[in-house]
Amino acid sequence: MLGYIFRRLAISIPTLLVLIVLSFVLMHAAPGGPFTSERPLPPEVLANIEAKYGLDKPLIAQIFNYIGGIVTSFDFGPSFKYKDRSVNDIIASGFPITLTYGFLSFIVAFVVGCALGVAAALKKNSWLDYFAVGISIGAQVLPNFVMAPILVIIFTLWLGWLPGGGWNNGHWANIIMPVIALSTSYMASIARLTRSSMLEVMNTNFIRTAQAKGLPAHVIVRKHALKPALLPVISYLGPTFVAMITGSVIVDVYFSTGGIGQAYVNSALTRDYAVMMGITILIGALTILFNLVVDILYAWIDPKIRY
């Protein structure tokens, strides 16, 4: 098992380096720059600003300096648009917010989705199956950019139960609607994957053998069927977890939570390449990390994967 983990790590580190280099090159290849505007700056002023941020150096030197700052001190550099603020400060102020409601959204999507999928598979063609499938289809056709305004209209404008936006230091009333808006579509996908996988596992020979031995149904599901049925679900959970904990741009913008999704949009509009690079690398690193975690879990559940 340790050899398998080391092999995956050996692949992950070069992948992250390639991501950093490609992102850096593509960002600088885009037309315009962080200091270009409708009223161009005098060449002398522009040259001084570029020298301050190291943009006057060759591209190769900029890449090595950037990677060196990340490796040695985990420093993503200063923001080009926010004075006296670094990229680390912007990420540190927004990431805990998206981490909070993203992690809660993941828990809700995983628990509810798996429960609906297992219930639908065990009670195939019953009212419970139709109910679970109906909820999954309804949630699938309502993505977060549709679900968010519907929640605000119902719970804020009509009922007046919940605030329509803001973070308020993570008060529960401000978390409910972002969690629902972010988790519903993922919950539907998890429920459909769990249902189809559970139906396939329940028709295998080792499940029939366990039933012939007279084992209780809950023991068969918990000890024999659930573990192999979750294999395709676990493969889906890696990128899903990253997508949730890095926050949704729609959720951040619509509910004004102040997460990194809003910072990412603002940096794209203002061409703050330093912030865009920092958030891109953060998302890429988390994607690689949790895909590694998923691979390890996959190998733990199914030992054949290790070979």
Side-chain angles (χ1 to χ4, degrees):
M1 189 67 174
L2 288 177
Y4 176 80
I5 295 175
F6 287 137
R7 288 195 301 271
R8 301 302 298 175
L9 282 174
I11 298 174
S12 300
I13 295 175
T15 302
L16 183 58
L17 290 176
V18 171
L19 170 66
I20 295 174
V21 173
L22 287 179
S23 300
F24 199 94
V25 171
L26 292 175
M27 203 79 69
H28 283 70
F35 306 112
T36 57
S37 60
E38 295 181 358
R39 297 182 59 184
L41 296 173
E44 298 80 6
V45 176
L46 183 59
N48 291 333
I49 294 176
E50 290 181 345
K52 175 183 177 181
Y53 290 100
L55 300 178
D56 58 335
K57 299 179 180 179
L59 184 60
I60 297 297
Q62 294 183 43
I63 293 175
F64 275 102
N65 291 337
Y66 189 77
I67 295 177
I70 295 175
V71 173
T72 57
S73 57
F74 202 69
D75 183 16
F76 292 105
S79 170
F80 293 157
K81 292 297 181 179
Y82 297 97
K83 295 182 178 179
D84 301 326
R85 292 197 71 187
S86 66
V87 178
N88 293 45
D89 296 334
I90 296 173
I91 293 177
S93 63
F95 185 64
I97 295 175
T98 54
L99 179 64
T100 300
Y101 74 75
F103 180 74
L104 293 175
S105 301
F106 176 80
I107 296 298
V108 171
F110 177 72
V111 173
V112 177
C114 287
L116 287 175
V118 171
L122 296 180
K123 301 293 183 181
K124 184 181 178 182
N125 295 330
S126 66
W127 69 268
L128 184 58
D129 185 15
Y130 298 142
F131 175 74
V133 172
I135 290 180
S136 300
I137 294 175
Q140 190 73 53
V141 300
L142 290 175
N144 50 20
F145 61 86
V146 177
M147 181 67 73
I150 292 176
L151 293 174
V152 172
I153 291 173
I154 295 176
F155 293 105
T156 302
L157 299 181
W158 290 356
L159 300 176
W161 290 354
L162 300 172
W167 184 242
N168 194 20
N169 294 322
H171 190 268
W172 65 268
N174 296 81
I175 295 179
I176 291 178
M177 288 197 294
V179 168
I180 295 175
L182 186 58
S183 63
T184 47
S185 58
Y186 294 106
M187 176 200 72
S189 299
I190 292 173
R192 290 188 296 106
L193 282 173
T194 306
R195 180 183 181 275
S196 59
S197 181
M198 180 63 75
L199 285 174
E200 182 179 352
V201 171
M202 292 301 292
N203 290 324
T204 55
N205 291 330
F206 72 91
I207 295 296
R208 296 193 186 98
T209 302
Q211 292 171 343
K213 290 181 177 180
L215 294 177
H218 67 90
V219 175
I220 295 175
V221 172
R222 179 168 51 87
K223 289 189 175 182
H224 300 281
L226 190 58
K227 195 174 179 180
L230 288 179
L231 284 175
V233 180
I234 290 176
S235 299
Y236 176 76
L237 290 182
T240 298
F241 188 61
V242 175
M244 288 187 176
I245 67 170
T246 52
S248 166
V249 172
I250 298 298
V251 171
D252 280 334
V253 172
Y254 202 90
F255 293 106
S256 301
T257 57
I260 59 172
Q262 181 69 63
Y264 197 65
V265 173
N266 293 339
S267 64
L269 295 176
T270 60
R271 296 181 178 181
D272 193 346
Y273 295 156
V275 176
M276 292 181 65
M277 279 291 301
I279 297 178
T280 300
I281 293 171
L282 174 65
I283 295 174
L286 290 174
T287 302
I288 293 172
L289 172 63
F290 286 106
N291 279 332
L292 174 63
V293 173
V294 167
D295 289 341
I296 294 173
L297 289 175
Y298 214 100
W300 174 69
I301 293 175
D302 187 359
K304 292 183 294 183
I305 302 298
R306 305 173 199 172
Y307 304 101

